[in-house]
Amino acid sequence: MSEPAFDLVIRNARVATAADTFHADIGIKAGIIVQLGLDIAAGKSEIDAAGRTVTPGGVDGHCHLDQPMPPPAKMADNFDTGTRSAACGGTTTVIPFAAQAKGQSLQAAVDDYHRRADGRAHVDYAFHLIVSDPTPDVLARELPELIAKGHTSFKIYMTYDDLKLDDGEVLDVLDVARSHGALVMVHAENADCIDWLTKRLQAAGKTAPRFHGHARPMLVEREATHRAIALAELVDVPILIVHVSGREAVEQIRWARAHGLNIFAETCPQYLFLSAENLGTGDSYLGAKCVCSPPPRDKGNQAVIWNALTEGLFTVFSSDHAPFNYGGTDGKHPDGNEVTFPYIPNGIPGLETRMPLLYSEGVLKGRITVNKFVELTSTNAARAYGLHPRKGTVAIGADADLVIWDERDVEITNAILHHNTDYTPYEGITLGAWPGMTIAGGEVVWDGKQFHPRAGRGRFLQCGAPTLLPSK
Ligand code: URP
Ligand code: ZN
Ligand code: ZN
């Protein structure tokens, strides 16, 4: 008897890409999609997807794993637990950040990050850079060399003392991106306004977690978003504004596009599913779980972000997974101490819940098409970070990274998740869908009940040039 033609065949799939929805069998060999068609030949193993939607695996272009932190804070997820969680939530490519500390060389940050990732990842990964110290050598030599080695995107911060750049430094970094065809992701919040407000709140004894939101009102995001847009206009280079939280930043992005500027934008689950109420009331400390920056806004702003998403304002939908335990010694409530809000590590976990939240509340509730869902959670991140069409689509020659969706009720509890963080901000939300199976490089990594580990399965990806179309 002759060998089966394929390692794996997924039969009777309703395949959704960013462009189309069609019925097909998917033939996979050596981790690659090699045939799409009807009644294709047999595989060594077969999965019947009749009645179910199959999408490309998610590409999470904004997540933080095992990123070095100023002590005592420590991230709860590393490349093992973070990619485990990603896989079980339908994400098959992650792009966390090799973060340069001030005074450190960028190459040293990348080398250190490789050591953290090597042999640990269950799904494929690439590295963005975080540029916090754009010295003449970084600008003239290190950045161009690292772009050539496949780090074609970098994040810069307009806030956080240990990371922020001044406007001149932002211009310098944007200029390198323009010359070498890289994409800059901008964290847009005005640092001086935040410092000024924080000092006043502290002096008034207003230090509970909810005051984190008071120290970062929308205008600090609006001003920095506008400034980032102006700086990008000056250099004449596209940028991507990350974690857009509400109306005022949305208005700036609309304004920029109306003026013909090429500005891409990201939002995240926390701005659709959390609100300022989640930061707590009175002196309650539990709101520390939802302290992230920018902070979740009010319910009206949630609606603004949903509307902007449905209208097509956002390019990508990322988790901004920034995992810190609530309990323990190195997280949000260290050794049980209620620290004042400026000392609560910023960020929330969300790698595993990103895709099911948007599939359930976006696609199943009729707010967006399944094709838009694919574009936001997978295809556009692959394009933005130079991984398309290997990633982000279902096509012949693409990596066999797929999700078969189960449309069934699932209540989110931390117990069902696979990250190493001791809580989820989405506890108790019932969704109408969950990945019934995740396939990464042709291997089943999540079967709807169990995770199938293979540390080292995940490969490091060198990114190419961004291939996003101009923003509209
Ligand atoms: O609060 C957040 N978002 N923490 C993660 C770091 C960042 O700025 O994305
Ligand atoms: Zn950020
Ligand atoms: Zn982030």
Side-chain angles (χ1 to χ4, degrees):
M1 265 214 350
S2 60
E3 273 270 291
F6 306 107
D7 298 333
L8 173 65
V9 171
I10 301 170
R11 293 223 179 260
N12 307 308
R14 175 182 179 261
V15 179
T17 69
D20 295 301
T21 306
F22 55 92
H23 282 87
D25 301 336
I26 305 170
I28 296 165
K29 204 168 171 62
I32 309 280
I33 298 171
V34 292
Q35 193 166 350
L36 291 167
L38 300 176
D39 298 323
I40 68 173
K44 284 183 200 149
S45 58
E46 301 227 348
I47 295 163
D48 186 5
R52 293 191 288 171
T53 298
V54 177
T55 63
V59 178
D60 195 336
H62 184 165
C63 54
H64 304 264
L65 298 176
D66 201 9
Q67 190 176 311
M69 286 287 128
K74 187 172 186 307
M75 288 200 165
D77 283 306
N78 58 22
F79 277 83
D80 170 19
T81 63
T83 59
R84 172 178 80 192
S85 174
C88 298
T91 288
T92 51
T93 304
V94 294
I95 317 182
F97 299 85
Q100 179 196 28
K102 287 201 194 279
Q104 187 188 29
S105 89
L106 259 181
Q107 185 64 55
V110 170
D111 293 344
D112 172 65
Y113 214 43
H114 273 297
R115 283 190 289 276
R116 290 167 188 259
D118 272 355
R120 292 194 178 84
H122 302 276
V123 301
D124 290 349
Y125 60 95
F127 297 164
H128 304 293
L129 309 174
I130 288 174
V131 182
S132 69
D133 199 358
T135 61
D137 187 49
V138 164
L139 294 166
R141 188 184 60 80
E142 284 208 302
L143 259 180
E145 281 178 12
L146 285 163
I147 294 168
K149 285 188 203 161
H151 303 283
T152 54
S153 46
F154 23 98
K155 183 171 177 190
I156 57 172
Y157 286 80
M158 298 169 86
T159 187
Y160 295 135
D161 285 345
D162 52 342
L163 296 172
K164 72 180 178 203
L165 305 187
D166 65 30
D167 290 355
E169 292 172 320
V170 172
L171 289 168
D172 283 339
V173 173
L174 292 177
D175 195 35
V176 174
R178 185 181 195 281
S179 304
H180 296 271
L183 181 63
V184 179
M185 310 158 75
V186 183
H187 180 129
E189 290 185 296
N190 179 312
D192 287 346
C193 292
I194 294 168
D195 282 354
W196 188 81
L197 286 166
T198 300
K199 285 189 190 119
R200 286 172 72 103
L201 288 161
Q202 283 176 305
K206 296 179 172 176
T207 58
R210 70 191 171 96
F211 292 108
H212 172 76
H214 297 222
R216 306 176 106 96
M218 280 204 292
L219 83 84
V220 310
E221 188 185 4
R222 180 230 301 166
E223 186 282 328
T225 301
H226 185 85
R227 187 156 34 101
I229 290 167
L231 299 176
E233 181 182 5
L234 188 60
V235 177
D236 186 22
V237 67
I239 53 169
L240 188 144
I241 308 284
V242 294
H243 42 51
V244 170
S245 72
R247 178 177 56 81
E248 298 200 18
V250 163
E251 284 170 357
Q252 295 308 311
I253 292 158
R254 287 212 170 99
W255 177 91
R257 295 205 184 144
H259 287 75
L261 302 175
N262 207 5
I263 302 297
F264 300 107
E266 171 199 84
T267 195
C268 311
Q270 47 272 38
Y271 308 114
L272 295 177
F273 297 96
L274 301 178
S275 72
E277 288 170 17
N278 295 97
L279 291 173
T281 50
D283 286 336
S284 161
Y285 195 75
L286 279 172
K289 291 182 175 178
C290 295
V291 164
C292 60
S293 295
R297 309 297 183 186
D298 62 21
K299 292 264 167 68
N301 278 288
Q302 268 185 0
V304 168
I305 296 293
W306 269 116
N307 285 339
L309 191 94
T310 58
E311 283 170 17
L313 180 102
F314 291 111
T315 321
V316 287
F317 182 74
S318 316
S319 68
D320 194 8
H321 182 83
F324 297 98
N325 281 326
Y326 183 74
T329 56
D330 48 22
K332 299 210 174 226
H333 195 196
D335 295 316
N337 291 317
E338 297 194 352
V339 298
T340 59
F341 76 81
Y343 295 96
I344 300 170
N346 281 204
I348 58 174
L351 257 173
E352 193 164 350
T353 41
R354 173 185 76 115
M355 302 264 289
L357 279 166
L358 192 63
Y359 193 99
S360 173
E361 302 310 291
V363 180
L364 297 186
K365 296 262 169 85
R367 291 175 164 123
I368 55 172
T369 65
V370 69
N371 312 96
K372 188 73 188 170
F373 166 83
V374 171
E375 181 185 293
L376 285 165
T377 57
S378 180
T379 314
N380 272 355
R383 287 192 176 122
Y385 307 122
L387 294 171
H388 189 266
R390 175 175 176 186
K391 303 291 184 187
T393 192
V394 179
I396 291 171
D399 283 356
D401 294 348
L402 301 160
V403 183
I404 305 177
W405 288 91
D406 274 355
E407 295 187 8
R408 63 181 166 93
D409 283 357
V410 172
E411 183 187 343
I412 301 178
T413 62
N414 205 48
I416 69 163
L417 300 179
H418 298 79
H419 58 200
N420 194 42
T421 314
D422 62 3
Y423 76 99
T424 168
Y426 308 109
E427 186 81 25
I429 296 182
T430 297
L431 299 182
W434 203 263
M437 189 171 283
T438 308
I439 293 163
E443 290 181 29
V444 175
V445 280
W446 163 246
D447 67 13
K449 294 200 178 71
Q450 271 197 316
F451 170 62
H452 297 267
R454 187 159 79 75
R457 173 196 289 121
R459 300 158 293 186
F460 173 70
L461 305 168
Q462 290 191 336
C463 297
T467 58
L468 274 176
L469 295 171
S471 58
K472 280 178 273 160

